[in-house]
């Protein structure tokens, strides 16, 4: 077989289960608790970035992340996107390299991670940083 992938109908169901808009969902043996939180990272790695690379607590942002709340559109075509902006006010001076998505359970589960398209961004102390509605996307293809 030359190419591989996941059926889009299944991908949509998995994404909707992993990124619930409210309550909880179960994917396999894992329970995911909404709201989903977006964590901004100064260093992007494929493993949990840990406290050393998360933005520190400042103004409108805490290291635990910014709640995305119910701002997810239904998955379509194997992709799920936010349906509302994610905004950090009074950000700390850092380099913004990527984001991680976590659930809100007592022991948070890291769901997805990714680098910022177009490369890292320099953030000055007190800046407002926004991920526009529909610009944070997760795909299973």
């Amino acid at each position: 077989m030359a190419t591989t992938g996941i059926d889009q109908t299944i991908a949509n169901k998995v994404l909707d289960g992993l990124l619930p808009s409210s309550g909880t969902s179960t994917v396999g043996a894992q329970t995911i608790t909404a709201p989903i939180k977006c964590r901004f990272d100064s260093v992007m790695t494929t493993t949990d970035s840990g406290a050393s690379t998360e933005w520190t607590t400042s103004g409108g942002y805490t290291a635990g992340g910014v709640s995305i709340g119910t701002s997810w559109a239904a998955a379509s075509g194997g992709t799920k996107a936010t349906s509302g902006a994610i905004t950090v006010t009074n950000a700390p001076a850092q380099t913004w390299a990527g984001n991680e998505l976590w659930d809100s359970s007592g022991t948070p589960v890291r769901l997805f991670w990714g680098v910022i398209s177009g490369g890292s961004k320099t953030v000055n102390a007190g800046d407002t940083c926004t991920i526009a509605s529909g610009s944070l996307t997760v795909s299973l293809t």
Side-chain angles (χ1 to χ4, degrees):
M1 183 184 309
T3 60
T4 60
I6 185 171
D7 179 83
Q8 287 188 355
T9 300
I10 297 300
N12 293 341
K13 289 180 182 187
V14 169
L15 287 169
D16 286 338
L18 286 172
L19 300 169
S21 292
S22 63
T24 61
S25 66
T26 303
V27 178
Q30 185 64 57
T31 298
I32 309 296
T33 304
I36 303 303
K37 294 187 176 188
C38 181
R39 200 163 77 178
F40 291 64
D41 291 316
S42 55
V43 175
M44 197 67 257
T45 66
T46 58
T47 59
D48 177 3
S49 64
S52 63
T53 61
E54 297 170 27
W55 282 12
T56 56
T57 301
S58 174
Y61 184 78
T62 61
V66 176
S67 177
I68 297 174
T70 59
S71 299
W72 287 104
S76 176
T79 299
K80 191 167 179 85
T82 53
S83 60
I86 303 167
T87 301
V88 172
T89 58
N90 195 22
Q94 296 270 353
T95 298
W96 180 10
N99 297 306
E100 298 178 3
L101 298 179
W102 293 76
D103 84 331
S104 292
S105 64
T107 305
V109 176
R110 182 175 185 249
L111 303 168
F112 293 97
W113 60 270
V115 298
I116 295 175
S117 299
S120 299
K121 308 289 182 199
T122 299
V123 177
N124 298 309
D127 281 356
T128 296
C129 302
T130 300
I131 303 172
S133 178
S135 294
L136 180 62
T137 62
V138 176
S139 297
L140 293 177
T141 55

